[in-house]
Structures are given as C-alpha cells and as structure tokens.
Amino acid sequence: MEPNSLPTEVILTHSCQSLGSVCLDWTPQPGHYFNWQGQTYTVLERRHRYQLKSGRYRLHKISLYVQSVERPEDTTLINGHWVIGDVNCRFNAHSELMRCAVNPSGPCQDCRFFEPS
C-alpha cells in the first residue's frame, strides 16, 4: 500500500451491496465520477471510518456510496469542479449531480426552457 492511500470500500447505494475494496491515491468527493471494473459510478456520499490505536483515533478506511450512471457528455470545468449541462442557461444548477431545476435529466440541447444567463 502506498503511503498516501487508504483502503476504500465501494458500496452501491440503493442495495447497500459492497462492490469491493481498492486503495486510492486521491479522495473522491460527492459528485465526482469513479470508474470501477469497467463501470462508471457517481459518488453520492463519502464516510470515514476511524480506529482507536495507541489511545488515538486514526483514519482507518473510507467508504464510498456510489450509484451507477452514464457519464454525461455535456460537462464543463468551472472553478475546479465539474458542472453538468449548459452553463450559459439561467436554470443551470452549477452542480456535479444535477443539471438544472426545470429539466434535470436533460439534454440541454434544444431545451424549451433555455434562457441565457
């Protein structure tokens, strides 16, 4: 195991089924995409597990709760985080998880609710 990596358990959210464990050298945040065994998942939640050792609590492992998704093609990097959908629309949520309030599942192209921001 690398010095900066922690064991990470990947759990499918809707069934609470563990998909397995992996050591990651990065910390996925909610909203990030995560490729695991040829499938793409969205990280919905991250939980830290601590262990008492020598009178101190230490980070022992991370649990990622994920959901299987198709990676959207209409993403834009803004201020260090990914945004789904057309960022020029007034209704865009500027979120990694939800496209917009009026048409959350998309697509943005030819959307009848489009209003320039």
Side-chain angles (χ1 to χ4, degrees):
M1 182 167 66
E2 296 176 21
N4 293 333
S5 64
L6 284 171
T8 304
E9 183 178 12
V10 181
I11 301 168
L12 198 57
T13 298
H14 64 76
S15 65
C16 292
Q17 173 189 359
S18 176
L19 300 176
S21 293
V22 64
C23 286
L24 299 176
D25 59 352
W26 64 291
T27 306
Q29 301 293 327
H32 286 176
Y33 293 103
F34 178 72
N35 292 320
W36 173 259
Q37 299 176 344
Q39 178 67 40
T40 301
Y41 297 95
T42 298
V43 177
L44 299 178
E45 186 177 347
R46 185 184 74 211
R47 294 184 185 172
H48 296 161
R49 308 288 183 198
Y50 293 89
Q51 184 177 40
L52 183 62
K53 193 173 190 177
S54 302
R56 299 182 67 189
Y57 283 100
R58 296 178 188 248
L59 185 58
H60 175 65
K61 98 177 171 178
I62 297 172
S63 296
L64 294 180
Y65 289 82
V66 299
Q67 174 180 317
S68 178
V69 295
E70 294 281 331
R71 184 182 288 250
E73 295 179 15
D74 56 343
T75 57
T76 307
L77 185 65
I78 296 179
N79 297 328
H81 74 277
W82 290 99
V83 173
I84 301 173
D86 188 345
V87 295
N88 298 315
C89 180
R90 181 179 98 122
F91 298 111
N92 187 284
H94 293 271
S95 167
E96 299 166 328
L97 298 174
M98 184 169 63
R99 181 175 272 108
C100 75
V102 294
N103 188 13
S105 60
C108 291
Q109 183 179 2
D110 301 323
C111 176
R112 65 186 176 117
F113 301 107
F114 179 80
E115 288 184 25
S117 55

